[in-house]
């Protein structure tokens, strides 16, 4: 087993500490998924991101149980689906997530989407707060929540999320949301950190920066995330690419690089058009 690389960490208001690079598991399923997650742990990942709707919590749990990495060194996350926001359903779903993983607790549990038209995300948040008190989840947070959504949670319960996982990449940089999160001691996590990878990895600005530092376009983008201050969650089932996605400490982007990437931002740059103001997750 390799020593974890010297990746920076982020700290939330409640003491949660996350590595700046985690491992995404969307569409990582079956026994092949178990091996991919075990490989990720072996090469140095310590944050494993899952969700009830990924239908792989069992795979994630099995990989963690079979790994040589001590359980206490791994941060495993999952997420509550939109169809289970009602309080009793949310409590049952959180318990189901823990049971599926075969673990005594889940380190971080998020509400996956606010689903504002349902108007039940405060109920769902209360369920997470109570599950945290029960001890079956250690830390709680949200995903795809806007500042107004989070304000409602805080006013209703007095509990501020530790994490807000949002779409975040050079084409969609979410400066206002990141500033709000930082002001409230919330760690910003980036899902889809490479955006439309096929498009972004061919972008002239990214290619120029990658060539300048003699690294891959993927490494250049992930290094940008590190210097921006978020937690990026790339996914790869290939061991060499898993390792490469952690090999980000031998170079740094300069002010010119950061300014060039800042100019790529599009305020409406959603990859899939999923605006939290109206997007509804099942």
């Amino acid at each position: 087993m390799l020593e974890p690389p010297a990746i920076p960490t982020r700290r939330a208001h409640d003491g949660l500490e996350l590595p700046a690079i985690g491992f995404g598991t969307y569409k990582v399923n079956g026994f092949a998924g178990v091996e991919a997650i075990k490989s990720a742990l072996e090469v140095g990942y310590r944050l494993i991101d899952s969700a009830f709707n990924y239908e792989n919590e069992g795979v994630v749990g099995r990989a963690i149980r079979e790994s040589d990495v001590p359980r206490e060194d791994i941060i495993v996350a999952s997420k509550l689906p939109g169809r289970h926001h009602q309080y009793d359903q949310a409590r049952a779903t959180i318990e189901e997530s823990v049971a599926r993983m075969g673990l005594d607790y889940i380190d971080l549990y998020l509400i996956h989407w606010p689903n504002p038209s349902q108007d039940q995300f405060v109920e769902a948040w209360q369920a997470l707060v109570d599950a945290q008190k029960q001890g079956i989840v250690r830390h709680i947070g949200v995903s795809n929540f806007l500042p107004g959504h989070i304000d409602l949670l805080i006013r209703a319960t007095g509990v501020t999320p530790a994490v807000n996982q949002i779409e975040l990449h050079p084409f969609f940089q979410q400066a206002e949301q990141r500033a709000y999160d930082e002001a409230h001691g919330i760690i910003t996590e980036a899902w889809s950190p490479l955006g439309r990878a096929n498009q972004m990895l061919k972008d002239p600005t990214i290619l120029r920066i990658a060539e300048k530092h003699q690294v891959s376009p993927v490494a250049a983008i992930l290094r940008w995330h590190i210097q921006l201050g978020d937690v990026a969650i790339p996914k790869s089932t290939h061991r060499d690419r898993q390792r490469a996605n952690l090999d980000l400490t031998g170079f740094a982007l300069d002010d010119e690089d950061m300014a060039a990437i800042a100019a790529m931002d599009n305020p409406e740059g959603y990859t899939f058009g999923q605006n939290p103001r109206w997007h509804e997750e099942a």
Side-chain angles (χ1 to χ4, degrees):
M1 186 172 63
L2 300 177
E3 280 293 316
I7 294 292
T9 59
R10 317 298 187 207
R11 190 175 181 86
H13 66 88
D14 69 344
L16 173 65
E17 196 163 341
L18 298 181
I21 302 291
F23 184 74
T25 66
Y26 179 58
K27 293 187 177 179
V28 178
N29 300 86
F31 292 150
V34 173
E35 296 306 313
I37 296 165
K38 287 169 61 179
S39 170
L41 289 167
E42 287 169 5
V43 302
Y45 290 87
R46 293 297 179 263
L47 169 61
I48 308 296
D49 182 76
S50 181
F52 191 92
N53 271 354
Y54 296 174
E55 297 184 346
N56 67 359
E57 289 173 316
V59 161
V60 170
R62 178 166 175 166
I64 289 169
R65 294 193 306 274
E66 293 183 359
S67 171
D68 291 332
V69 178
R71 169 66 183 97
E72 60 270 20
D73 292 345
I74 302 169
I75 300 164
V76 59
S78 196
K79 308 181 194 75
L80 181 76
R83 64 188 178 278
H84 293 167
H85 277 196
Q86 190 273 334
Y87 179 85
D88 290 338
Q89 289 180 325
R91 287 300 302 273
T93 300
I94 297 165
E95 292 171 4
E96 179 67 25
S97 291
V98 176
R100 283 183 180 186
M101 287 190 174
L103 304 174
D104 292 333
Y105 62 91
I106 292 174
D107 299 89
L108 176 62
Y109 208 92
L110 314 177
I111 301 176
H112 208 155
W113 286 88
N115 283 25
S117 73
Q118 295 180 20
D119 196 26
Q120 291 184 316
F121 62 81
V122 173
E123 270 189 71
W125 183 244
Q126 186 63 60
L128 266 67
V129 169
D130 291 344
Q132 184 182 37
K133 291 176 182 176
Q134 183 184 351
I136 60 173
V137 298
R138 295 283 177 87
H139 302 271
I140 57 176
V142 294
S143 181
N144 304 297
F145 273 52
L146 300 171
H149 299 144
I150 298 174
D151 285 342
L152 286 172
L153 300 183
I154 297 170
R155 284 202 296 268
T157 66
V159 179
T160 301
V163 166
N164 187 17
Q165 185 181 120
I166 58 175
E167 180 177 359
L168 175 58
H169 46 76
F171 290 159
F172 189 50
Q173 299 180 24
Q174 299 240 50
E176 182 179 342
Q177 182 67 63
R178 288 188 288 107
Y180 174 93
D181 292 348
E182 183 176 4
H184 289 77
I186 301 170
I187 296 170
T188 299
E189 287 187 342
W191 65 261
S192 194
L194 305 178
R196 294 186 185 90
N198 289 338
Q199 178 183 356
M200 188 174 296
L201 298 184
K202 297 175 184 176
D203 183 89
T205 298
I206 297 298
L207 289 174
R208 184 175 67 252
I209 291 171
E211 183 178 3
K212 172 181 174 179
H213 295 281
Q214 297 186 317
V215 297
S216 72
V218 170
I221 295 167
L222 293 178
R223 181 69 205 184
W224 173 78
H225 281 283
I226 284 180
Q227 292 181 213
L228 200 66
D230 63 54
V231 171
I233 308 175
K235 181 193 79 174
S236 177
T237 57
H238 301 281
R239 188 179 181 89
D240 288 345
R241 287 202 286 272
Q242 290 174 349
R243 186 182 292 113
N245 287 348
L246 289 175
D247 186 17
L248 305 169
T249 57
F251 71 104
L253 305 187
D254 59 29
D255 291 344
E256 181 183 4
D257 301 329
M258 295 298 286
I261 295 177
M264 296 170 61
D265 187 28
N266 176 0
E268 296 299 325
Y270 298 97
T271 298
F272 306 105
Q274 294 173 323
N275 189 322
R277 288 179 177 83
W278 54 73
H279 177 73
E280 300 286 311
E281 180 204 39

